[in-house]
Amino acid sequence: MERPTVYITRLLPQPVLDAISQQYRMLTEPTDRPPTEKELLHGFAEAQAVICTLTDRIDAVVLSHATKLKIIANYAVGYNNIDLAAAAQRGIIVTNTPDVLTDATADLTWALLLALTRRVVEGDTWVRTGHWPGWTPTQMLGADVSGKTLGIIGMGRIGQAVAQRAAGFQMPVIYAGRRSVSGPPGVSWIWRTHDEVLAESDFISLHVPLTEATRHLIDRRRLSLMRPTAFLINTSRGPVIDEAALISALEAHTIAGAGLDVYEQEPVVPARLMSLPNVVLLPHLGSATLETRVCMGLICLDNIAAVLGGRPAPNRVTKI
Ligand code: DGY
């Protein structure tokens, strides 16, 4: 019997490619660049299963070519890149990769928070360029982290993992989310409105999915609620922040700084943002560890095996 065809839009870690090629026919050799429109349409037309990434926009036009397709396994926890309604209309199942990237993303959130407040990137550059004149008492002073208030917007899996790590820094946690969530024994996480979290926190970390309701959730008005000493961290999706409003707030020092892993128009990062000293900018590294990226690929494969085998997909998504 002929093996089902899987189209992969991007190069994935080798253990994932090995696992795919053991069970399926790979439509084309995946590459480390985004597919052209022609390649994408061809892939969707030919395959029974697709593994795509958050940079592939899967809209009704792409899906209109997908006559044999049974499943789109999105290689990400977020799936705002896929038109779910159009997929459902064609009976195509969409899946994501939750859980396995929770720790990697929470760890990176803390890496950004600490790098930003302790000026790690600036310090590294100073040493490497040979400009460091030696220790002085007033040099490169950052802000304390321990004991300060951490505010989390979006208290799902990743938000909670970020909050759990705050216990090690003796930080009170306040959060805004759809429902009340209990912290681990002995730790209290306090449920607040979005505006209260912004006004009362020293660090605000965003962990909401991108939907029409969360696009520009952090706008000019909400940024104006933040303390001038507060820092904003975003490892969720760029459009959750109104980037132009953020740049103005950073330039005017109405907030202390921002640590960003995601941007409104990736990979474009505004020159004004790049010129600011009070930001740390990462290239969307949230889930970027080898272990995590392998697990994400294996989850895609589990979902494909289930759907092509006539079983329910373990990670089916139906709405944002
Ligand atoms: C996701 O899975 O949504 C992440 O942004 C990928 O790094």
Side-chain angles (χ1 to χ4, degrees):
M1 206 175 79
E2 205 175 289
R3 296 193 296 174
T5 299
V6 177
Y7 169 53
I8 306 157
T9 63
R10 292 300 277 265
L11 189 67
L12 301 178
Q14 196 55 45
V16 181
L17 295 181
D18 293 344
I20 296 170
S21 50
Q22 273 164 24
Q23 304 166 61
Y24 303 105
R25 182 175 85 85
M26 268 203 286
L27 185 61
T28 49
E29 205 52 48
T31 62
D32 211 6
R33 58 160 176 80
T36 62
E37 193 187 345
K38 193 167 159 214
E39 288 165 344
L40 192 71
L41 295 182
H42 175 69
F44 271 74
E46 291 300 314
Q48 277 91 46
V50 167
I51 301 180
C52 60
T53 70
L54 58 99
T55 59
D56 304 312
R57 203 179 138 73
I58 312 304
D59 57 18
V61 175
V62 174
L63 290 167
S64 69
H65 290 73
T67 50
K68 306 174 192 163
L69 191 62
K70 302 267 180 291
I71 167 166
I72 301 170
N74 205 40
Y75 186 77
V77 67
Y79 43 90
N80 52 289
N81 55 311
I82 300 176
D83 183 337
L84 289 185
Q89 241 173 29
R90 295 181 173 275
I92 299 166
I93 288 170
V94 178
T95 64
N96 70 342
T97 63
D99 299 319
V100 289
L101 46 67
T102 298
D103 284 331
T105 309
D107 292 347
L108 189 90
T109 303
W110 278 93
L112 258 180
L113 190 156
L114 291 165
L116 182 64
T117 50
R118 300 307 306 271
R119 305 176 62 177
V120 169
V121 180
E122 278 174 88
D124 179 84
T125 307
W126 216 17
V127 174
R128 275 174 203 277
T129 52
H131 292 125
W132 180 44
W135 189 88
T136 82
T138 55
Q139 193 174 82
M140 222 172 247
L141 304 182
D144 273 342
V145 172
S146 294
K148 298 261 182 86
T149 299
L150 175 64
I152 295 188
I153 296 189
M155 201 58 154
R157 298 181 191 89
I158 298 173
Q160 289 181 46
V162 170
Q164 277 158 11
R165 285 153 175 73
F169 292 88
Q170 295 86 43
M171 294 171 79
V173 172
I174 61 177
Y175 69 95
R178 278 182 296 203
R179 64 188 81 84
S180 148
V181 176
S182 318
V187 174
S188 87
W189 294 339
I190 300 168
W191 196 16
R192 290 266 202 270
T193 64
H194 290 94
D195 286 6
E196 285 165 346
V197 169
L198 284 152
E200 294 170 24
S201 304
D202 298 298
F203 304 96
I204 294 123
S205 189
L206 306 179
H207 301 286
V208 289
L210 176 62
T211 65
E212 277 323 302
T214 61
R215 188 175 296 276
H216 285 194
L217 178 71
I218 307 303
D219 57 8
R220 200 170 297 280
R221 185 190 70 79
R222 287 213 161 108
L223 285 164
S224 75
L225 301 174
M226 287 176 62
R227 300 170 176 171
T229 49
F231 296 88
L232 183 65
I233 315 291
N234 191 11
T235 55
S236 64
R237 286 289 183 266
V240 171
I241 301 180
D242 176 346
E243 212 165 64
L246 173 65
I247 294 169
S248 302
L250 289 163
E251 284 174 344
H253 297 283
T254 60
I255 70 172
L260 305 175
D261 188 38
V262 289
Y263 308 88
E264 273 208 75
Q265 307 283 341
E266 292 177 18
V268 178
V269 178
R272 270 170 70 204
L273 187 57
M274 288 197 280
S275 72
L276 290 169
N278 49 347
V279 295
V280 172
L281 306 174
L282 296 183
H284 203 144
L285 292 179
S287 64
T289 71
L290 178 59
E291 297 92 328
T292 298
R293 291 279 167 89
V294 170
C295 287
M296 288 164 66
L298 299 181
I299 289 193
C300 290
L301 273 181
D302 284 349
N303 282 285
I304 291 174
V307 171
L308 298 187
R311 297 186 308 279
N315 306 104
R316 182 172 188 177
V317 292
T318 48
K319 64 177 167 49
I320 294 201

